Every structure is written in C-alpha cells, then in structure tokens.
C-alpha cells in the first residue's frame, strides 16, 4: 500500500519562488567586478531568473542543454543558477583558475551551448573561444555600455542586454526531479577532470541537509558570506540552502584578501561565512596585524582541506568565532560531515572540547559512511583504527558524466580516496588522502598531523609533508616549508618544534625551505607535484 501524500517533484525553481514570495525583501549584496557594492533582493533575483529562462527559450536551448559560467560569486551568477536549472537546462560552473586549455577541454566535454563570463575573465575567453566547438552564444556578465567593442568574440552580448527585454513572467516547467541541474568537474590531480552531474532532487536534499541545525545551520536570521566560490561545488550548496531558508547572502566577488573580506563582514553584519583554510589565514593575519575583532560573525565553516587546530583555536579564543570544520567532496555535493559538539561535550573544559572540534565532524543525515581495510572489511569506530573511507547517499555521485572512468562504486558505496578514523560518537577524522599517506616500516604516518603541528609554529606560513623513498623504511616523511615573510627559522628549530608532539618515528627526517608550494585550482596543496620535484631527494643518513 502506498502512502496517500502529494508527490510534487523537488525542483530548483521551487527554491527561488519560495524565497521570492516569503523573503522578498531579504537582500543579496554583491561586490562587483566593476568595484561597487550592488544590492538586490530575492524578489528581484526571482524576476531576473525568469528573464534568464525566457532568454534561454529564445535562444532555442533544449531541455538538459548546458550553460557554462566563468564567474565570481555575485547576484548575476545566482540568477543564472536559478534561471538555467529552473528552466530545465544545466548550469555548468567552470573554475576560472584553470588554464585556457583546460577551460576549452571542459567546455567541449560538457558540450556547453552558451558561456556566460565575468569581464575579469575576458583574457581566458579571448584565448579559448575559437576552440570551444559547441558554444554558440557568448554572454559577458556586465551592463551593455561596459562591453568593449573590439573583443573579436563573435556575437558577444552583455548579460543586461541579453535579458533586459525579456518578460519577468515565466511558467517554470515541471519535470522529473532526477533530471540534471548542475555540472561541476573535479579538480583531477591526475588524468582529465571528471564531471559530477547533480540532479534537482540531490541539490534540494543536500540543501535541506546542510541547513539542519547540527549541519551548517542557517536561517532567516542569518547573513551568510560564502567566500567559497560558486564555481567550486556550487559554493558548498549555500546559494540553494540560503533561498530555502531566506538567508541574506553577501557575495565578495573577486576581492578575497583579508582586508576586503573583513570590511564586508563588518559592513553587512555577516553572521556566518564559509571557505577554505588559506582564505582564513589571510583574514586572521589582517585581524592580528590591525588588532581587530568581529562584531557580528559568530561562526565560520572551514573545509576543502584540513583546518589546522591552531586556526580553530585562534578563531575561538581570540575572536569568539566557532569554526565548523566540514568535510566533503565534489562527488558529494559536497557536504558529508560537519563538526558540532553534542550535549555531552558541553560540560567539557575548553581544551577537551577543542579535541573534538578539530575533527571533521559527524555525518549529515543523507551521507552514510564507513571505513574499511584493504580487503573491504568494515573497521571499528574506535577513533584509533584508520581505514579507507566510503560513502553513500542521495546526494553522492553514482557515475561520472558520460560514464568517464567506468563504474566508480564498490557494492553501492563511493570510495572517497581519503583515509580516516571514526570515533564511537561518529566523529570522522581524516588522517590523509590515500595517495598522501606515508608508509614508514609498515606503520602509517598522517601527513595532515605533521602539517598541522608545523603550521602552528609562528614562523611557518605553509607546510606540506611528503613521503621520500627510504632504503630501510620504504618511506620517510619530509617537511616542505614556506616561511612567513621576514621570519627566521632553521631546520633544527623546525624539527625541535615536533618534540613531545609526535612519536619520534613520526617526526620528519628532514626539512626543506621553499619560496612557494604549488596550489591547485581550488587552492589545495599539490603534493603530487612536490613528490615529483623531490623524487630523487636523499634524506640524511639514508
Ligand atoms: P574536492 O572534490 O576538490 O572538493 O576535494 C575533496 C577532497 O578534499 C576530499 O576527498 C579530502 O581529501 C579533501 N578535504 C575536503 N575537506 C577536508 C577537510 N575538512 N579535511 C581534510 N581534507 C578535506
């Protein structure tokens, strides 16, 4: 016997119509590429998303056709999110930090029909357009009078001219909620990038999941500033969850330095923000150097790579801001776990609480997880045994776009490539990427543990721990360090800093100082490049 409840599809158009009706005057504030601060509302975003949908109809785009974007976080990008997906097409966010060749490869693989870009990315488009074989329409996200005359890009139009004449009325179509809504390519440290194709259903369920109180927990009393880009896993789903909950949004555009982000947080009374650790490092440096405090921000979501415990502690003890350490992947929409204390932790002293808060957190309902040994046997949740982490759930990938790479699942579970422990309370702690783990004499050393201790040293700006081949131990850890500008630090002082913090055999055998550590397009350290660079390195005594 089936239940007798209505069965309306979960569609992205429903989110913006809800926000436009129930939170019509809630603001969306954007720092624009043009330099000014732009203000709009959910009602206006809804109206302009309908204009986008009409404009796409006029171009003759079919259901599921892809519309690429190369854009910062801003209101026009938000309108595209809703207008493109809501009308049944697929919004394909491209990472502008990729090279023009990679942009071309991805746009061709996705078969983008339209490409909308911020004017700051005009140089990429100029280098790429003639090789993008499927793109028929180029749209610059600017006013008509801001469009240069001589770009050489055929038929280039401004966004405002493109949608300006269209009606603000649009009957959003109803269709299968499992239809594709958004496409995002994984960073792909090896081989070609692979496309993850989110559905309307997965996007709405994920938005519900991340809005939960023990998840990111956002509401109509919040003002959220996503520093995490809308081209990196849909800004972790915040543009959708914000419309679902009527949250005010503040978009930082291209200005991601500590000073600009801080000023925006204060001016707009931001209560929560979200981004990768490197962004918060810039913000904390700015606060420290200028002796500043936050007046409204109470929490910040940090994920994408491991957040050093020193950063979590500094936010809490120096600035009264709770870090919500979160873990996920492009393949997971992206949120899998978020770190929030349970009732029983509230009576602990602050030092013991910190021991919990540094972990990647508990599973959000909808993202099931397990850890397994190399034979696929499930391992205990004892907080000590580490194993390969697998996940499953309704917002987790089942197959890559166009079936690239074959079936990624193992018995219905997605192998994350991360190595983790899970404690009896369900708190996940990522110890490594499986490719980064260091195997010394049959024991595993967590490169993340070593790096977290290293970056707590006041002279260290960035640190990566990599495996170096060793005749006796197979592999031994080596630390690659970028010093803070003007800071003094010797190899011996760096190694002495580990005393008492790690077992002796886990301490790196050597330290190398470099000017910079290579970062990927999403700001993560590219340890595979470092391993390549140091592949012939001889450790002392080896
Ligand atoms: P991406 O798909 O580019 O977002 O990368 C996902 C990968 O980033 C995960 O598989 C992890 O290896 C890493 N990652 C994300 N969040 C965290 C975190 N909080 N701590 C450690 N690693 C993380």
């Amino acid at each position: 016997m089936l239940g007798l409840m209505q069965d309306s599809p979960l569609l992205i158009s429903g989110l913006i119509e809800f926000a436009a009706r129930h939170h019509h005057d809630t603001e969306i504030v954007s720092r624009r590429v043009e330099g000014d601060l732009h203000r709009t509302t959910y009602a206006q975003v809804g109206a302009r998303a309908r204009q986008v949908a009409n404009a796409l109809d006029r171009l003759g785009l079919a259901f599921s056709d892809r519309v690429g974007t190369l854009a910062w976080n801003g209101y026009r990008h938000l309108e595209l999110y809703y207008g493109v997906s809501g009308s049944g097409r697929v919004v394909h966010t491209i990472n502008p930090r990729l090279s023009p060749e990679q942009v071309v490869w991805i746009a061709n693989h996705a078969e983008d029909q339209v490409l909308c870009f911020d004017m700051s990315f005009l140089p990429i488009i100029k280098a790429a357009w003639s090789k993008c074989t499927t793109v028929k329409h180029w749209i610059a996200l600017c006013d008509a009078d801001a469009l240069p005359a001589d770009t050489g890009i055929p038929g280039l139009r401004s966004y405002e001219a493109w949608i300006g004449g269209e009606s603000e009325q649009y009957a959003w179509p109803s269709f299968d909620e499992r239809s594709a809504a958004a496409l995002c390519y994984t960073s792909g440290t090896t081989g070609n990038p692979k496309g993850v194709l989110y559905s309307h259903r997965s996007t709405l369920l994920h938005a519900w999941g991340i809005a939960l109180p023990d998840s990111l927990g956002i509401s109509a009393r919040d003002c959220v500033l996503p520093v995490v880009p809308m081209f990196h896993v849909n800004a972790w789903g915040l543009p959708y969850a914000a419309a679902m909950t009527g949250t005010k949004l503040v978009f930082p555009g291209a200005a991601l330095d500590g000073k600009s982000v801080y000023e925006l947080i204060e001016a707009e009374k931001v209560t929560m923000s979200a981004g990768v650790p490197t962004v918060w490092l810039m913000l904390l440096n700015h606060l420290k150097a200028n002796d500043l405090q936050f007046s409204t921000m109470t929490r910040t979501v940090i994920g994408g790579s491991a957040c050093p415990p020193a950063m979590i502690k500094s936010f809490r003890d120096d600035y009264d801001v709770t870090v919500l350490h979160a873990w996920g992947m492009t393949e997971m929409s992206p949120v899998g776990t978020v770190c929030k204390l349970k009732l029983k932790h509230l009576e602990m002293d602050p030092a013991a609480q910190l021991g919990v808060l540094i972990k990647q957190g508990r599973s959000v309902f909808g993202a099931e997880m397990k850890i397994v040994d190399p034979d696929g046997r499930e391992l205990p949740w004892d907080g000590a045994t580490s194993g390969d982490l697998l996940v499953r759930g309704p917002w987790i990938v089942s197959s890559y776009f166009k079936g690239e790479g074959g079936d990624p699942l193992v018995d219905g579970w997605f192998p994350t490539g991360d190595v983790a422990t899970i404690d009896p309370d369900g708190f996940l702690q990522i110890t490594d990427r499986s490719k980064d783990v260091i195997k010394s004499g049959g024991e595993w050393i967590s490169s993340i543990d070593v790096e977290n201790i290293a970056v707590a040293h006041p002279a260290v700006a960035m640190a990566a721990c990599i495996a170096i081949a060793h005749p006796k131990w197979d592999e031994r850890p080596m630390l690659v360090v970028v010093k803070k500008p003007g800071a003094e630090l010797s190899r011996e002082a760096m190694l002495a800093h580990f005393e008492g913090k790690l077992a002796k055999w886990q301490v790196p055998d050597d330290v190398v100082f470099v000017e910079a550590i290579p970062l990927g397009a999403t700001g993560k350290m590219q340890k595979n490049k470092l391993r390549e660079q140091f592949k012939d390195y001889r450790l002392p005594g080896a």
Side-chain angles (χ1 to χ4, degrees), residues 222-235:
D222 271 314
C223 172
V224 171
L225 183 144
V227 177
V228 52
M230 290 169 78
F231 55 75
H232 188 197
V233 215
N234 305 322

Side-chain angles (χ1 to χ4, degrees), residues 193-234:
K194 293 202 276 289
V196 181
L197 190 58
Y198 310 107
S199 69
H200 286 255
R201 174 184 158 80
S202 71
T203 305
L204 264 81
L205 292 177
H206 178 263
W208 253 309
I210 66 168
L212 287 171
D214 261 7
S215 187
L216 307 190
I218 58 169
S219 79
R221 293 169 301 289
D222 271 314
C223 172
V224 171
L225 183 144
V227 177
V228 52
M230 290 169 78
F231 55 75
H232 188 197
V233 215
N234 305 322

Side-chain angles (χ1 to χ4, degrees), residues 187 232-233 302-307 325-331 360 416 418 430 433 448 522 524:
S187 7
H232 188 197
V233 215
I302 305 187
S305 52
C307 180
H325 195 190
W327 166 85
M329 319 178 67
T330 308
E331 287 88 340
Q360 276 78 1
T416 62
D418 287 329
I430 303 288
R433 283 298 287 167
I448 293 181
T522 53
K524 294 180 205 215

Side-chain angles (χ1 to χ4, degrees), residues 37 136 164 190 198 257 315 320 323 422 471-472 531:
L37 211 56
K136 300 191 194 83
T190 53
Y198 310 107
D257 60 287
F315 263 116
D320 212 8
V323 169
I422 305 176
K472 180 167 177 199
R531 279 194 292 268

Side-chain angles (χ1 to χ4, degrees), residues 494-509:
M494 183 76 259
L495 289 175
H497 172 73
F498 287 98
E499 262 168 44
K501 300 186 180 93
L502 282 179
K504 266 211 170 72
W505 62 273
Q506 295 171 323
V507 174
D509 281 9

